[in-house]
PDB file of all heavy atoms in Angstrom:
ATOM      1  N   ILE A 243     146.028  87.717 114.021  1.00  0.00           N
ATOM      2  CA  ILE A 243     147.229  88.483 114.332  1.00  0.00           C
ATOM      3  C   ILE A 243     146.985  89.950 114.010  1.00  0.00           C
ATOM      4  O   ILE A 243     146.637  90.301 112.874  1.00  0.00           O
ATOM      5  CB  ILE A 243     148.436  87.991 113.509  1.00  0.00           C
ATOM      6  CG1 ILE A 243     148.726  86.527 113.825  1.00  0.00           C
ATOM      7  CG2 ILE A 243     149.663  88.846 113.794  1.00  0.00           C
ATOM      8  CD1 ILE A 243     149.095  86.270 115.262  1.00  0.00           C
ATOM      9  N   ILE A 244     147.168  90.783 115.010  1.00  0.00           N
ATOM     10  CA  ILE A 244     147.015  92.219 114.798  1.00  0.00           C
ATOM     11  C   ILE A 244     148.386  92.851 114.999  1.00  0.00           C
ATOM     12  O   ILE A 244     149.104  92.494 115.918  1.00  0.00           O
ATOM     13  CB  ILE A 244     146.018  92.809 115.815  1.00  0.00           C
ATOM     14  CG1 ILE A 244     144.645  92.171 115.604  1.00  0.00           C
ATOM     15  CG2 ILE A 244     145.912  94.327 115.660  1.00  0.00           C
ATOM     16  CD1 ILE A 244     143.645  92.518 116.695  1.00  0.00           C
ATOM     17  N   ASN A 245     148.739  93.758 114.163  1.00  0.00           N
ATOM     18  CA  ASN A 245     150.048  94.415 114.230  1.00  0.00           C
ATOM     19  C   ASN A 245     151.165  93.377 114.161  1.00  0.00           C
ATOM     20  O   ASN A 245     151.123  92.483 113.338  1.00  0.00           O
ATOM     21  CB  ASN A 245     150.163  95.279 115.492  1.00  0.00           C
ATOM     22  CG  ASN A 245     149.181  96.418 115.448  1.00  0.00           C
ATOM     23  OD1 ASN A 245     148.892  96.946 114.369  1.00  0.00           O
ATOM     24  ND2 ASN A 245     148.639  96.791 116.584  1.00  0.00           N
ATOM     25  N   TYR A 246     152.150  93.467 115.060  1.00  0.00           N
ATOM     26  CA  TYR A 246     153.264  92.520 114.993  1.00  0.00           C
ATOM     27  C   TYR A 246     153.653  92.100 116.401  1.00  0.00           C
ATOM     28  O   TYR A 246     154.538  92.671 117.027  1.00  0.00           O
ATOM     29  CB  TYR A 246     154.471  93.127 114.245  1.00  0.00           C
ATOM     30  CG  TYR A 246     154.739  94.583 114.546  1.00  0.00           C
ATOM     31  CD1 TYR A 246     155.674  94.949 115.491  1.00  0.00           C
ATOM     32  CD2 TYR A 246     154.065  95.590 113.866  1.00  0.00           C
ATOM     33  CE1 TYR A 246     155.930  96.273 115.763  1.00  0.00           C
ATOM     34  CE2 TYR A 246     154.310  96.913 114.137  1.00  0.00           C
ATOM     35  CZ  TYR A 246     155.246  97.248 115.091  1.00  0.00           C
ATOM     36  OH  TYR A 246     155.485  98.554 115.365  1.00  0.00           O
ATOM     37  N   PRO A 247     153.004  91.068 116.928  1.00  0.00           N
ATOM     38  CA  PRO A 247     153.341  90.596 118.279  1.00  0.00           C
ATOM     39  C   PRO A 247     154.729  89.983 118.319  1.00  0.00           C
ATOM     40  O   PRO A 247     155.275  89.582 117.292  1.00  0.00           O
ATOM     41  CB  PRO A 247     152.263  89.536 118.553  1.00  0.00           C
ATOM     42  CG  PRO A 247     151.821  89.090 117.215  1.00  0.00           C
ATOM     43  CD  PRO A 247     151.939  90.263 116.307  1.00  0.00           C
ATOM     44  N   GLU A 248     155.272  89.874 119.516  1.00  0.00           N
ATOM     45  CA  GLU A 248     156.625  89.344 119.653  1.00  0.00           C
ATOM     46  C   GLU A 248     156.691  87.860 119.313  1.00  0.00           C
ATOM     47  O   GLU A 248     157.687  87.375 118.798  1.00  0.00           O
ATOM     48  CB  GLU A 248     157.120  89.552 121.081  1.00  0.00           C
ATOM     49  CG  GLU A 248     157.590  90.967 121.321  1.00  0.00           C
ATOM     50  CD  GLU A 248     158.246  91.127 122.673  1.00  0.00           C
ATOM     51  OE1 GLU A 248     158.586  90.113 123.304  1.00  0.00           O
ATOM     52  OE2 GLU A 248     158.398  92.270 123.101  1.00  0.00           O
ATOM     53  N   VAL A 249     155.636  87.133 119.676  1.00  0.00           N
ATOM     54  CA  VAL A 249     155.621  85.692 119.411  1.00  0.00           C
ATOM     55  C   VAL A 249     154.289  85.325 118.778  1.00  0.00           C
ATOM     56  O   VAL A 249     153.238  85.776 119.236  1.00  0.00           O
ATOM     57  CB  VAL A 249     155.808  84.877 120.717  1.00  0.00           C
ATOM     58  CG1 VAL A 249     155.761  83.380 120.412  1.00  0.00           C
ATOM     59  CG2 VAL A 249     157.113  85.230 121.393  1.00  0.00           C
ATOM     60  N   ILE A 250     154.316  84.525 117.733  1.00  0.00           N
ATOM     61  CA  ILE A 250     153.073  83.960 117.200  1.00  0.00           C
ATOM     62  C   ILE A 250     153.261  82.461 117.061  1.00  0.00           C
ATOM     63  O   ILE A 250     154.382  81.975 116.866  1.00  0.00           O
ATOM     64  CB  ILE A 250     152.664  84.583 115.848  1.00  0.00           C
ATOM     65  CG1 ILE A 250     153.742  84.403 114.790  1.00  0.00           C
ATOM     66  CG2 ILE A 250     152.347  86.038 116.000  1.00  0.00           C
ATOM     67  CD1 ILE A 250     153.318  84.897 113.441  1.00  0.00           C
ATOM     68  N   GLN A 251     152.154  81.754 117.189  1.00  0.00           N
ATOM     69  CA  GLN A 251     152.226  80.307 117.100  1.00  0.00           C
ATOM     70  C   GLN A 251     151.650  79.851 115.763  1.00  0.00           C
ATOM     71  O   GLN A 251     150.580  80.310 115.345  1.00  0.00           O
ATOM     72  CB  GLN A 251     151.443  79.656 118.250  1.00  0.00           C
ATOM     73  CG  GLN A 251     151.905  78.226 118.487  1.00  0.00           C
ATOM     74  CD  GLN A 251     151.182  77.579 119.642  1.00  0.00           C
ATOM     75  OE1 GLN A 251     149.971  77.553 119.681  1.00  0.00           O
ATOM     76  NE2 GLN A 251     151.947  77.076 120.576  1.00  0.00           N
ATOM     77  N   ASN A 256     156.610  78.157 117.984  1.00  0.00           N
ATOM     78  CA  ASN A 256     156.573  79.563 118.388  1.00  0.00           C
ATOM     79  C   ASN A 256     157.549  80.345 117.525  1.00  0.00           C
ATOM     80  O   ASN A 256     158.741  80.059 117.512  1.00  0.00           O
ATOM     81  CB  ASN A 256     156.978  79.705 119.868  1.00  0.00           C
ATOM     82  CG  ASN A 256     155.861  79.299 120.788  1.00  0.00           C
ATOM     83  OD1 ASN A 256     154.691  79.374 120.428  1.00  0.00           O
ATOM     84  ND2 ASN A 256     156.210  78.869 121.975  1.00  0.00           N
ATOM     85  N   PHE A 257     157.027  81.325 116.815  1.00  0.00           N
ATOM     86  CA  PHE A 257     157.849  82.149 115.944  1.00  0.00           C
ATOM     87  C   PHE A 257     158.124  83.480 116.646  1.00  0.00           C
ATOM     88  O   PHE A 257     157.209  84.149 117.103  1.00  0.00           O
ATOM     89  CB  PHE A 257     157.135  82.408 114.609  1.00  0.00           C
ATOM     90  CG  PHE A 257     157.122  81.219 113.692  1.00  0.00           C
ATOM     91  CD1 PHE A 257     156.273  80.149 113.932  1.00  0.00           C
ATOM     92  CD2 PHE A 257     157.952  81.167 112.591  1.00  0.00           C
ATOM     93  CE1 PHE A 257     156.266  79.044 113.093  1.00  0.00           C
ATOM     94  CE2 PHE A 257     157.948  80.065 111.735  1.00  0.00           C
ATOM     95  CZ  PHE A 257     157.099  79.006 111.985  1.00  0.00           C
ATOM     96  N   GLN A 258     159.424  83.843 116.714  1.00  0.00           N
ATOM     97  CA  GLN A 258     159.843  85.073 117.382  1.00  0.00           C
ATOM     98  C   GLN A 258     159.935  86.202 116.364  1.00  0.00           C
ATOM     99  O   GLN A 258     160.459  86.003 115.260  1.00  0.00           O
ATOM    100  CB  GLN A 258     161.229  84.875 118.010  1.00  0.00           C
ATOM    101  CG  GLN A 258     161.313  83.782 119.056  1.00  0.00           C
ATOM    102  CD  GLN A 258     160.910  84.273 120.428  1.00  0.00           C
ATOM    103  OE1 GLN A 258     160.767  85.469 120.633  1.00  0.00           O
ATOM    104  NE2 GLN A 258     160.743  83.371 121.357  1.00  0.00           N
ATOM    105  N   LEU A 259     159.480  87.377 116.758  1.00  0.00           N
ATOM    106  CA  LEU A 259     159.579  88.542 115.881  1.00  0.00           C
ATOM    107  C   LEU A 259     161.033  88.822 115.561  1.00  0.00           C
ATOM    108  O   LEU A 259     161.875  88.893 116.470  1.00  0.00           O
ATOM    109  CB  LEU A 259     158.955  89.753 116.582  1.00  0.00           C
ATOM    110  CG  LEU A 259     159.018  91.082 115.827  1.00  0.00           C
ATOM    111  CD1 LEU A 259     158.240  90.999 114.522  1.00  0.00           C
ATOM    112  CD2 LEU A 259     158.460  92.204 116.694  1.00  0.00           C
ATOM    113  N   TYR A 260     161.341  88.976 114.276  1.00  0.00           N
ATOM    114  CA  TYR A 260     162.744  89.138 113.861  1.00  0.00           C
ATOM    115  C   TYR A 260     162.995  90.474 113.172  1.00  0.00           C
ATOM    116  O   TYR A 260     164.012  91.117 113.400  1.00  0.00           O
ATOM    117  CB  TYR A 260     163.130  87.993 112.922  1.00  0.00           C
ATOM    118  CG  TYR A 260     164.582  87.956 112.551  1.00  0.00           C
ATOM    119  CD1 TYR A 260     165.536  87.496 113.452  1.00  0.00           C
ATOM    120  CD2 TYR A 260     165.016  88.391 111.296  1.00  0.00           C
ATOM    121  CE1 TYR A 260     166.882  87.467 113.116  1.00  0.00           C
ATOM    122  CE2 TYR A 260     166.355  88.364 110.969  1.00  0.00           C
ATOM    123  CZ  TYR A 260     167.284  87.895 111.870  1.00  0.00           C
ATOM    124  OH  TYR A 260     168.610  87.861 111.550  1.00  0.00           O
ATOM    125  N   ASN A 261     162.049  90.871 112.315  1.00  0.00           N
ATOM    126  CA  ASN A 261     162.327  92.082 111.553  1.00  0.00           C
ATOM    127  C   ASN A 261     161.029  92.709 111.071  1.00  0.00           C
ATOM    128  O   ASN A 261     160.023  92.019 110.869  1.00  0.00           O
ATOM    129  CB  ASN A 261     163.226  91.749 110.348  1.00  0.00           C
ATOM    130  CG  ASN A 261     164.002  92.956 109.875  1.00  0.00           C
ATOM    131  OD1 ASN A 261     163.872  94.050 110.420  1.00  0.00           O
ATOM    132  ND2 ASN A 261     164.813  92.782 108.849  1.00  0.00           N
ATOM    133  N   ASN A 286     156.708  94.713 105.481  1.00  0.00           N
ATOM    134  CA  ASN A 286     156.981  93.294 105.717  1.00  0.00           C
ATOM    135  C   ASN A 286     157.323  93.083 107.182  1.00  0.00           C
ATOM    136  O   ASN A 286     158.039  93.905 107.777  1.00  0.00           O
ATOM    137  CB  ASN A 286     158.171  92.835 104.873  1.00  0.00           C
ATOM    138  CG  ASN A 286     157.834  92.784 103.398  1.00  0.00           C
ATOM    139  OD1 ASN A 286     156.880  93.414 102.963  1.00  0.00           O
ATOM    140  ND2 ASN A 286     158.600  92.042 102.643  1.00  0.00           N
ATOM    141  N   VAL A 287     156.830  91.980 107.747  1.00  0.00           N
ATOM    142  CA  VAL A 287     157.187  91.600 109.109  1.00  0.00           C
ATOM    143  C   VAL A 287     157.630  90.142 109.059  1.00  0.00           C
ATOM    144  O   VAL A 287     157.015  89.327 108.360  1.00  0.00           O
ATOM    145  CB  VAL A 287     156.016  91.749 110.100  1.00  0.00           C
ATOM    146  CG1 VAL A 287     156.485  91.487 111.519  1.00  0.00           C
ATOM    147  CG2 VAL A 287     155.389  93.124 109.987  1.00  0.00           C
ATOM    148  N   GLU A 288     158.697  89.833 109.790  1.00  0.00           N
ATOM    149  CA  GLU A 288     159.232  88.472 109.780  1.00  0.00           C
ATOM    150  C   GLU A 288     159.290  87.933 111.204  1.00  0.00           C
ATOM    151  O   GLU A 288     159.701  88.637 112.129  1.00  0.00           O
ATOM    152  CB  GLU A 288     160.646  88.468 109.182  1.00  0.00           C
ATOM    153  CG  GLU A 288     160.696  88.879 107.722  1.00  0.00           C
ATOM    154  CD  GLU A 288     162.122  89.051 107.222  1.00  0.00           C
ATOM    155  OE1 GLU A 288     163.052  89.029 108.052  1.00  0.00           O
ATOM    156  OE2 GLU A 288     162.304  89.209 106.003  1.00  0.00           O
ATOM    157  N   TRP A 289     158.874  86.694 111.351  1.00  0.00           N
ATOM    158  CA  TRP A 289     159.018  85.960 112.603  1.00  0.00           C
ATOM    159  C   TRP A 289     159.781  84.676 112.295  1.00  0.00           C
ATOM    160  O   TRP A 289     159.550  84.050 111.251  1.00  0.00           O
ATOM    161  CB  TRP A 289     157.653  85.579 113.182  1.00  0.00           C
ATOM    162  CG  TRP A 289     156.780  86.680 113.665  1.00  0.00           C
ATOM    163  CD1 TRP A 289     156.677  87.167 114.944  1.00  0.00           C
ATOM    164  CD2 TRP A 289     155.825  87.430 112.898  1.00  0.00           C
ATOM    165  NE1 TRP A 289     155.728  88.165 115.005  1.00  0.00           N
ATOM    166  CE2 TRP A 289     155.185  88.347 113.766  1.00  0.00           C
ATOM    167  CE3 TRP A 289     155.436  87.424 111.553  1.00  0.00           C
ATOM    168  CZ2 TRP A 289     154.191  89.237 113.356  1.00  0.00           C
ATOM    169  CZ3 TRP A 289     154.453  88.299 111.133  1.00  0.00           C
ATOM    170  CH2 TRP A 289     153.856  89.196 112.022  1.00  0.00           C
ATOM    171  N   ILE A 290     160.686  84.269 113.188  1.00  0.00           N
ATOM    172  CA  ILE A 290     161.481  83.087 112.885  1.00  0.00           C
ATOM    173  C   ILE A 290     161.322  81.990 113.943  1.00  0.00           C
ATOM    174  O   ILE A 290     161.155  82.261 115.125  1.00  0.00           O
ATOM    175  CB  ILE A 290     162.985  83.405 112.724  1.00  0.00           C
ATOM    176  CG1 ILE A 290     163.566  83.978 114.009  1.00  0.00           C
ATOM    177  CG2 ILE A 290     163.233  84.327 111.550  1.00  0.00           C
ATOM    178  CD1 ILE A 290     165.085  84.061 113.993  1.00  0.00           C
ATOM    179  N   ALA A 291     161.369  80.760 113.458  1.00  0.00           N
ATOM    180  CA  ALA A 291     161.500  79.559 114.290  1.00  0.00           C
ATOM    181  C   ALA A 291     162.369  78.641 113.442  1.00  0.00           C
ATOM    182  O   ALA A 291     161.866  77.793 112.714  1.00  0.00           O
ATOM    183  CB  ALA A 291     160.131  78.928 114.584  1.00  0.00           C
ATOM    184  N   PRO A 292     163.698  78.865 113.487  1.00  0.00           N
ATOM    185  CA  PRO A 292     164.587  78.164 112.550  1.00  0.00           C
ATOM    186  C   PRO A 292     164.325  76.667 112.495  1.00  0.00           C
ATOM    187  O   PRO A 292     164.132  76.041 113.546  1.00  0.00           O
ATOM    188  CB  PRO A 292     165.992  78.459 113.112  1.00  0.00           C
ATOM    189  CG  PRO A 292     165.830  79.758 113.825  1.00  0.00           C
ATOM    190  CD  PRO A 292     164.452  79.712 114.419  1.00  0.00           C
ATOM    191  N   PHE A 294     162.485  77.782 109.957  1.00  0.00           N
ATOM    192  CA  PHE A 294     161.354  78.410 109.276  1.00  0.00           C
ATOM    193  C   PHE A 294     161.260  79.897 109.601  1.00  0.00           C
ATOM    194  O   PHE A 294     161.764  80.374 110.608  1.00  0.00           O
ATOM    195  CB  PHE A 294     160.042  77.726 109.669  1.00  0.00           C
ATOM    196  CG  PHE A 294     159.989  76.270 109.307  1.00  0.00           C
ATOM    197  CD1 PHE A 294     160.121  75.295 110.280  1.00  0.00           C
ATOM    198  CD2 PHE A 294     159.812  75.876 107.995  1.00  0.00           C
ATOM    199  CE1 PHE A 294     160.088  73.958 109.949  1.00  0.00           C
ATOM    200  CE2 PHE A 294     159.771  74.536 107.654  1.00  0.00           C
ATOM    201  CZ  PHE A 294     159.910  73.580 108.634  1.00  0.00           C
ATOM    202  N   MET A 295     160.572  80.593 108.711  1.00  0.00           N
ATOM    203  CA  MET A 295     160.283  82.003 108.922  1.00  0.00           C
ATOM    204  C   MET A 295     158.877  82.282 108.394  1.00  0.00           C
ATOM    205  O   MET A 295     158.511  81.791 107.317  1.00  0.00           O
ATOM    206  CB  MET A 295     161.300  82.883 108.166  1.00  0.00           C
ATOM    207  CG  MET A 295     160.994  84.369 108.232  1.00  0.00           C
ATOM    208  SD  MET A 295     162.035  85.366 107.133  1.00  0.00           S
ATOM    209  CE  MET A 295     163.600  85.299 107.951  1.00  0.00           C
ATOM    210  N   LEU A 296     158.117  83.026 109.153  1.00  0.00           N
ATOM    211  CA  LEU A 296     156.817  83.494 108.670  1.00  0.00           C
ATOM    212  C   LEU A 296     156.990  84.936 108.226  1.00  0.00           C
ATOM    213  O   LEU A 296     157.610  85.738 108.928  1.00  0.00           O
ATOM    214  CB  LEU A 296     155.776  83.433 109.783  1.00  0.00           C
ATOM    215  CG  LEU A 296     155.063  82.106 109.997  1.00  0.00           C
ATOM    216  CD1 LEU A 296     154.144  82.206 111.203  1.00  0.00           C
ATOM    217  CD2 LEU A 296     154.266  81.701 108.772  1.00  0.00           C
ATOM    218  N   ILE A 297     156.440  85.250 107.064  1.00  0.00           N
ATOM    219  CA  ILE A 297     156.564  86.599 106.525  1.00  0.00           C
ATOM    220  C   ILE A 297     155.165  87.122 106.236  1.00  0.00           C
ATOM    221  O   ILE A 297     154.351  86.431 105.613  1.00  0.00           O
ATOM    222  CB  ILE A 297     157.380  86.608 105.220  1.00  0.00           C
ATOM    223  CG1 ILE A 297     158.743  85.958 105.439  1.00  0.00           C
ATOM    224  CG2 ILE A 297     157.546  88.031 104.682  1.00  0.00           C
ATOM    225  CD1 ILE A 297     159.478  85.638 104.149  1.00  0.00           C
ATOM    226  N   ARG A 298     154.906  88.317 106.690  1.00  0.00           N
ATOM    227  CA  ARG A 298     153.626  88.951 106.385  1.00  0.00           C
ATOM    228  C   ARG A 298     153.904  90.210 105.579  1.00  0.00           C
ATOM    229  O   ARG A 298     154.681  91.061 105.982  1.00  0.00           O
ATOM    230  CB  ARG A 298     152.871  89.315 107.653  1.00  0.00           C
ATOM    231  CG  ARG A 298     151.470  89.881 107.369  1.00  0.00           C
ATOM    232  CD  ARG A 298     150.769  90.337 108.615  1.00  0.00           C
ATOM    233  NE  ARG A 298     151.346  91.569 109.117  1.00  0.00           N
ATOM    234  CZ  ARG A 298     151.093  92.064 110.312  1.00  0.00           C
ATOM    235  NH1 ARG A 298     150.291  91.433 111.134  1.00  0.00           N
ATOM    236  NH2 ARG A 298     151.647  93.184 110.692  1.00  0.00           N
ATOM    237  N   GLU A 299     153.269  90.301 104.425  1.00  0.00           N
ATOM    238  CA  GLU A 299     153.356  91.510 103.600  1.00  0.00           C
ATOM    239  C   GLU A 299     151.994  92.180 103.639  1.00  0.00           C
ATOM    240  O   GLU A 299     150.975  91.543 103.381  1.00  0.00           O
ATOM    241  CB  GLU A 299     153.691  91.158 102.142  1.00  0.00           C
ATOM    242  CG  GLU A 299     155.114  90.701 101.928  1.00  0.00           C
ATOM    243  CD  GLU A 299     155.434  90.508 100.457  1.00  0.00           C
ATOM    244  OE1 GLU A 299     154.532  90.664  99.607  1.00  0.00           O
ATOM    245  OE2 GLU A 299     156.588  90.178 100.161  1.00  0.00           O
ATOM    246  N   TRP A 307     150.627  86.171 103.376  1.00  0.00           N
ATOM    247  CA  TRP A 307     151.522  85.487 104.309  1.00  0.00           C
ATOM    248  C   TRP A 307     152.314  84.437 103.545  1.00  0.00           C
ATOM    249  O   TRP A 307     151.802  83.788 102.625  1.00  0.00           O
ATOM    250  CB  TRP A 307     150.738  84.814 105.436  1.00  0.00           C
ATOM    251  CG  TRP A 307     150.255  85.751 106.466  1.00  0.00           C
ATOM    252  CD1 TRP A 307     149.224  86.643 106.358  1.00  0.00           C
ATOM    253  CD2 TRP A 307     150.748  85.901 107.806  1.00  0.00           C
ATOM    254  NE1 TRP A 307     149.045  87.338 107.531  1.00  0.00           N
ATOM    255  CE2 TRP A 307     149.966  86.898 108.440  1.00  0.00           C
ATOM    256  CE3 TRP A 307     151.762  85.295 108.530  1.00  0.00           C
ATOM    257  CZ2 TRP A 307     150.174  87.300 109.763  1.00  0.00           C
ATOM    258  CZ3 TRP A 307     151.967  85.690 109.841  1.00  0.00           C
ATOM    259  CH2 TRP A 307     151.187  86.679 110.452  1.00  0.00           C
ATOM    260  N   PHE A 308     153.573  84.267 103.981  1.00  0.00           N
ATOM    261  CA  PHE A 308     154.455  83.305 103.340  1.00  0.00           C
ATOM    262  C   PHE A 308     155.179  82.500 104.422  1.00  0.00           C
ATOM    263  O   PHE A 308     155.419  82.997 105.520  1.00  0.00           O
ATOM    264  CB  PHE A 308     155.509  84.021 102.479  1.00  0.00           C
ATOM    265  CG  PHE A 308     154.921  84.915 101.424  1.00  0.00           C
ATOM    266  CD1 PHE A 308     154.609  86.238 101.716  1.00  0.00           C
ATOM    267  CD2 PHE A 308     154.671  84.445 100.153  1.00  0.00           C
ATOM    268  CE1 PHE A 308     154.054  87.073 100.754  1.00  0.00           C
ATOM    269  CE2 PHE A 308     154.123  85.271  99.179  1.00  0.00           C
ATOM    270  CZ  PHE A 308     153.817  86.583  99.485  1.00  0.00           C
ATOM    271  N   LEU A 309     155.521  81.280 104.058  1.00  0.00           N
ATOM    272  CA  LEU A 309     156.355  80.473 104.934  1.00  0.00           C
ATOM    273  C   LEU A 309     157.682  80.255 104.225  1.00  0.00           C
ATOM    274  O   LEU A 309     157.721  79.757 103.095  1.00  0.00           O
ATOM    275  CB  LEU A 309     155.696  79.122 105.227  1.00  0.00           C
ATOM    276  CG  LEU A 309     156.473  78.201 106.169  1.00  0.00           C
ATOM    277  CD1 LEU A 309     156.542  78.813 107.575  1.00  0.00           C
ATOM    278  CD2 LEU A 309     155.836  76.819 106.246  1.00  0.00           C
ATOM    279  N   ALA A 310     158.757  80.685 104.877  1.00  0.00           N
ATOM    280  CA  ALA A 310     160.088  80.507 104.311  1.00  0.00           C
ATOM    281  C   ALA A 310     160.791  79.383 105.051  1.00  0.00           C
ATOM    282  O   ALA A 310     160.606  79.204 106.251  1.00  0.00           O
ATOM    283  CB  ALA A 310     160.896  81.801 104.448  1.00  0.00           C
ATOM    284  N   ALA A 336     169.055  84.075 109.222  1.00  0.00           N
ATOM    285  CA  ALA A 336     167.910  84.160 110.130  1.00  0.00           C
ATOM    286  C   ALA A 336     167.300  82.791 110.399  1.00  0.00           C
ATOM    287  O   ALA A 336     166.807  82.515 111.496  1.00  0.00           O
ATOM    288  CB  ALA A 336     166.848  85.095 109.546  1.00  0.00           C
ATOM    289  N   THR A 337     167.336  81.902 109.402  1.00  0.00           N
ATOM    290  CA  THR A 337     166.717  80.590 109.568  1.00  0.00           C
ATOM    291  C   THR A 337     167.751  79.468 109.617  1.00  0.00           C
ATOM    292  O   THR A 337     167.399  78.305 109.594  1.00  0.00           O
ATOM    293  CB  THR A 337     165.751  80.298 108.410  1.00  0.00           C
ATOM    294  OG1 THR A 337     166.475  80.392 107.175  1.00  0.00           O
ATOM    295  CG2 THR A 337     164.595  81.289 108.390  1.00  0.00           C
ATOM    296  N   TRP A 530     170.945  87.029 115.904  1.00  0.00           N
ATOM    297  CA  TRP A 530     170.108  88.159 116.288  1.00  0.00           C
ATOM    298  C   TRP A 530     170.821  89.499 116.161  1.00  0.00           C
ATOM    299  O   TRP A 530     170.230  90.546 116.442  1.00  0.00           O
ATOM    300  CB  TRP A 530     169.552  87.948 117.692  1.00  0.00           C
ATOM    301  CG  TRP A 530     168.503  86.884 117.701  1.00  0.00           C
ATOM    302  CD1 TRP A 530     168.680  85.556 117.929  1.00  0.00           C
ATOM    303  CD2 TRP A 530     167.118  87.049 117.417  1.00  0.00           C
ATOM    304  NE1 TRP A 530     167.499  84.877 117.821  1.00  0.00           N
ATOM    305  CE2 TRP A 530     166.510  85.770 117.505  1.00  0.00           C
ATOM    306  CE3 TRP A 530     166.316  88.132 117.104  1.00  0.00           C
ATOM    307  CZ2 TRP A 530     165.162  85.557 117.291  1.00  0.00           C
ATOM    308  CZ3 TRP A 530     164.949  87.938 116.883  1.00  0.00           C
ATOM    309  CH2 TRP A 530     164.395  86.657 116.973  1.00  0.00           C
TER     310      TRP A 530
END
Side-chain angles (χ1 to χ4, degrees):
Chain A
I243 299 298
I244 298 171
N245 295 326
Y246 40 96
E248 281 188 15
V249 179
I250 59 175
Q251 201 178 54
N256 283 334
F257 286 75
Q258 299 275 349
L259 178 63
Y260 187 76
N261 204 359
N286 290 20
V287 186
E288 296 172 350
W289 293 266
I290 61 169
F294 299 105
M295 175 189 288
L296 275 176
I297 305 167
R298 185 184 73 193
E299 288 186 356
W307 283 74
F308 303 88
L309 181 66
T337 57
W530 288 92

